[in-house]
Every structure is written in structure tokens, then in C-alpha cells.
Amino acid sequence: MKKRVFGKTGIKVSEVGLGTWQLGTDWGEVTEEESLSVLSDAIDKGVTFIDTADVYGAGRSEMSIGKVLKKRKEKLFVASKVGRWHNPGWPENLTLDNMRIQIENSLERLDLDVLDLIQL
């Protein structure tokens, strides 16, 4: 898998990333075993960029990623999105206080101390 520097960060990530909307079961039923398998297979093939969002399966995608991160030694670049969560609604979701809460909730589900990229 080829890697390239992500923007001006100096961090090298895989040119191919894994989007994880499907792991949240928004497009149909996906078992936890299948979710973990998709993530592990992608990492085995050299993927180091994982894209998710708090709304994917109401956090289910992030929880699956968190489980895989605990078991793997590879350093992954995790990007997540905030601002789309259902409460308090649009456009109030994008206040500083609400975004802090959403980010803290994502970090808890992912079992991470920091996100590499937060997308609005």
C-alpha cells in the first residue's frame, strides 16, 4: 500500500482509506463479527486511514473501530465527523459546547485520547 503525507501534518497515511458508514448498519444489517473482519482485513492490506462519524449507526461504527484499535499494534489515522448528531438539531449542533460533547463521546467510543482529524 502506498502512503503519502496528509496535508501539512507530516503524518504518512495510506493512499486508500476505509470509510466506515457501512459498519454502522445504516445501509443494512452488519454483524459485529463482520464489522471487525472488514476493519482487520483493511489494516492487513495496509490501510492506515480510517474515516468514521458519530452518526454512523449512532456510534456503532466508532465502537467497532475502538475494539479493533485495542487489538492491533498498527498506528492508524482516525478521522471522524461531528455536527450531524440528532440532538439538539441543526444548526445548534455546531456550537463549541456541543461539538466538545460530541468529540468527547466519539473519543470514548473509539477508546482514543485524540482524533487525528475532526470534520464538520
Side-chain angles (χ1 to χ4, degrees):
M1 175 72 63
K2 292 183 181 179
K3 292 186 178 184
R4 66 173 64 178
V5 176
F6 187 82
K8 297 178 183 179
T9 66
I11 300 170
K12 287 189 175 182
V13 299
S14 58
E15 288 186 347
V16 175
L18 177 66
T20 60
W21 190 354
Q22 74 281 10
L23 304 184
T25 69
D26 296 320
W27 288 359
E29 185 54 38
V30 177
T31 67
E32 181 176 345
E33 182 179 299
E34 290 169 326
S35 293
L36 301 178
S37 177
V38 166
L39 288 158
S40 293
D41 287 348
I43 295 166
D44 288 345
K45 290 177 175 43
V47 171
T48 61
F49 185 97
I50 307 292
D51 176 74
T52 191
D54 58 2
V55 294
Y56 295 173
R60 185 173 178 207
S61 173
E62 290 178 329
M63 289 186 280
S64 293
I65 294 165
K67 288 178 183 178
V68 168
L69 289 172
K70 282 183 184 179
K71 295 178 181 180
R72 302 295 296 232
K73 296 178 183 178
E74 296 86 352
K75 170 63 178 129
L76 301 178
F77 187 97
V78 179
S80 195
K81 300 167 197 76
V82 299
R84 295 174 46 204
W85 197 259
H86 58 83
N87 287 323
W90 187 260
E92 292 83 7
N93 287 346
L94 293 178
T95 67
L96 185 57
D97 289 338
N98 287 333
M99 287 189 294
R100 277 190 179 128
I101 291 167
Q102 293 168 8
I103 292 166
E104 288 171 6
N105 290 339
S106 288
L107 290 170
E108 185 175 326
R109 286 188 291 270
L110 289 159
D111 196 24
L112 291 174
D113 295 325
V114 66
L115 286 164
D116 296 299
L117 175 65
I118 298 166
Q119 303 168 89
L120 309 179

